[in-house]
Amino acid sequence: MNPTPQSQDVLARIAEVIESRKPAAGGDPDKSYVAKLFAKGTDAILKKIGEEATETVMAAKDGDAQKLVYEVADLWFHSIIALAQFGLTPQQVIAELARREGLSGLEEFARRTPAAPAAPTVPTAPEDPR
């Protein structure tokens, strides 16, 4: 299942607006929520993502489908702000998802996880002769 051009366009437009809110692009923290987040810095952006992730989990646990959609939209939006903070775009995330498409989740995880080192062998104490 490939993202539709429409979904990519929406993400690209949102990313463009977010980019325009950066201080370097003239974003005014007194007039824009996103500009205010950028002005507060990375920690504030990441804290907001944590809050939105928690709200997403709570909506899912409540079983409220509409609230879940709403909270995921908030999470995605704030994630796009974080991407912009690091000079990244939603299109890069879409490309990564496309790369993973068709891979077994276990196979993909194994590819990015270094093999765990073997546990050291611990000598056992001699049995107590008593």
Side-chain angles (χ1 to χ4, degrees):
M1 172 183 210
N2 291 325
T4 66
Q6 181 183 10
S7 65
Q8 288 183 30
D9 290 347
V10 169
L11 291 174
R13 285 193 307 271
I14 290 169
E16 286 175 19
V17 170
I18 288 170
E19 280 293 325
S20 76
R21 300 302 195 260
K22 285 183 170 181
D28 183 351
D30 292 329
K31 295 180 181 176
S32 165
Y33 167 77
V34 173
K36 186 180 289 190
L37 268 180
F38 279 129
K40 289 180 179 180
T42 302
D43 285 349
I45 294 167
L46 299 179
K47 180 180 176 188
K48 192 63 185 172
I49 290 173
E51 291 171 10
E52 297 301 343
T54 299
E55 291 171 7
T56 298
V57 169
M58 291 168 40
K61 287 184 75 66
D62 290 345
D64 185 335
Q66 188 54 46
K67 187 168 183 184
L68 179 59
V69 168
Y70 180 87
E71 294 301 343
V72 169
D74 279 350
L75 179 59
W76 284 17
F77 179 78
H78 289 89
S79 295
I80 295 169
I81 295 171
L83 289 170
Q85 179 74 354
F86 290 95
L88 302 168
T89 67
Q91 287 67 30
Q92 289 170 283
V93 176
I94 291 168
E96 176 60 17
L97 290 170
R99 182 191 68 77
R100 295 180 188 186
E101 188 175 16
L103 285 179
S104 151
L106 296 174
E107 177 185 348
E108 196 283 325
F109 184 73
R111 286 183 180 183
R112 62 185 159 118
T113 305
T121 50
V122 178
T124 55
E127 287 188 31
D128 187 0
R130 292 186 250 166

